[in-house]
Structures are given as structure tokens and as C-alpha cells.
Amino acid sequence: MQVKINIDGGSRGNPGPGAAAYVICQTDGKILAQEGHFMPHCTNNQAEYTALKLALIKSAELGATELFIESDSLLLVKQYLGEYKIKHPDLAARMAVIRRLAAPFTLHIKHVLRHLNKAPDALANKAMDAKQSVGFNPIEHWLEDEEISAATQQAQNVVNGVEVAPVRRAQPPKPAAKKAKPKGPEQPDLFGGF
């Protein structure tokens, strides 16, 4: 199933109270799920990353297979695509979780201007105003980062529905060490060992 997703995140104070939001629609525009997740303390970038993480979790719950994601955070999009380096350790750890969640999907992500991303922006602001999460058909089972990592480690050993293991091959015999060539006839000690 293909879905269109718009994500946004923000923080009042940067850092300060913030929210991460996603809106997931069918290709015909019908809203399947939307959520503004309140975050008591975060930076703008943390909220943007969280929005993508939440959208991926909900997409899996919906059974989506191909995601068309739009974000007004150029930094997030460029870092996800590997065009910008992620220097901050917290964001690098968040991106590792996002990549694990994204692995089962065919994912297309692009940057859009703010005026083309109003729905998740409104949800994020609504959550920040209310100081609580708001939404329609929100995430049913919240996955902690540790759960995501553990599930991915198990899934990494399954390909095409079959468990795989590291291949261990017999090592070819090592060539025999070359014997040192004789240096020629041994010379007598002309000085008598002095």
C-alpha cells in the first residue's frame, strides 16, 4: 500500500517544549492517521527526527509498503539521504533508529517549503498549545528505541522469510614457509674468538 506522509516538528525555545507531528494519507488524500506528539523538552531537530520516527512506526501499523514523505526540514532530508553529515551524537543515534524502522519500506523523502506542509505544522502547534499529544488513529503500540534495535537485530538474520547465518568456509592451507637459503660455506673465525 502506498501512502503520502507529511511530517513536522518544532520547539518553543529551542530547546524547550515541543512537538513532533505526522499526517498519513492514502494516495487519494483520505487521512488514515495523524498525530501531534507533545515533547516536554526538545530541540527543533529532535522534534523533526521524532516526527519521522513516529510516521514510520504508524506506517508499519497501517501495513504500508511504499512511503512518499515530505518534510520542511532541509537538514533532516539531507541527513537522511546522506548528503549532509550528522555531527551531533544524539541526532546520529536517532538516525540509526530511523534507518532501522525504514528498512522494510520503499521510502521516498523530499524537502518541501513550509507553506506546503501546513497540516503537520498545525498538529504540532496544537500539541504544544495543549501540552499533550493529540491525534486521530494514533500509534497503538509505542516502540522504545531499544525495542526497535532488538527487533531489527532479529530481522537481520531473516532474508526472504528464511533464517540465514554467517557463512564459515574452510580456510585453504597456508603455503609452506620458505626455508632460508644457506649463506654459503661457513667461514672460520680468523681471530680465535677474541
Side-chain angles (χ1 to χ4, degrees), residues 123-191:
L123 266 172
N125 279 303
K126 185 87 170 166
M128 284 186 270
D129 292 343
K131 294 185 175 44
Q132 67 178 22
S133 298
V134 296
F136 160 73
N137 191 17
I139 293 171
E140 294 173 20
H141 176 65
W142 186 271
L143 293 173
E144 297 298 331
D145 290 351
E146 296 79 23
E147 290 179 86
I148 295 165
S149 297
T152 305
Q153 287 169 358
Q154 292 170 359
Q156 286 175 346
N157 292 331
V158 177
V159 177
N160 298 323
V162 178
E163 187 172 348
V164 295
V167 174
R168 308 249 189 263
R169 300 191 195 283
Q171 295 296 321
K174 293 182 179 180
K178 294 182 180 179
K179 294 182 180 180
K181 293 182 181 177
K183 296 180 183 179
E186 198 170 303
Q187 297 291 324
D189 184 358
L190 301 175
F191 297 102

Side-chain angles (χ1 to χ4, degrees), residues 41-90:
H41 189 80
C42 65
T43 66
N44 284 333
N45 289 335
Q46 289 171 331
E48 296 280 4
Y49 271 57
T50 301
L52 180 52
K53 172 187 167 183
L54 299 179
L56 294 170
I57 292 171
K58 188 59 189 179
S59 294
E61 283 184 5
L62 293 170
T65 54
E66 188 168 13
L67 316 179
F68 294 87
I69 302 174
E70 296 180 347
S71 170
D72 60 22
S73 171
L74 183 63
L75 179 73
L76 170 65
V77 171
K78 294 286 191 180
Q79 287 179 332
Y80 181 84
L81 295 174
E83 296 175 21
Y84 289 175
K85 289 184 179 179
I86 305 172
K87 297 178 182 176
H88 195 282
D90 176 66

Side-chain angles (χ1 to χ4, degrees), residues 21-48:
Y22 64 85
V23 179
I24 303 176
C25 299
Q26 291 178 337
T27 52
D28 64 3
K30 179 184 175 189
I31 295 176
L32 299 173
Q34 62 181 4
E35 184 173 356
H37 172 70
F38 180 66
M39 302 172 70
H41 189 80
C42 65
T43 66
N44 284 333
N45 289 335
Q46 289 171 331
E48 296 280 4

Side-chain angles (χ1 to χ4, degrees), residues 8-22:
D8 197 15
S11 169
R12 293 179 180 165
N14 196 25
Y22 64 85

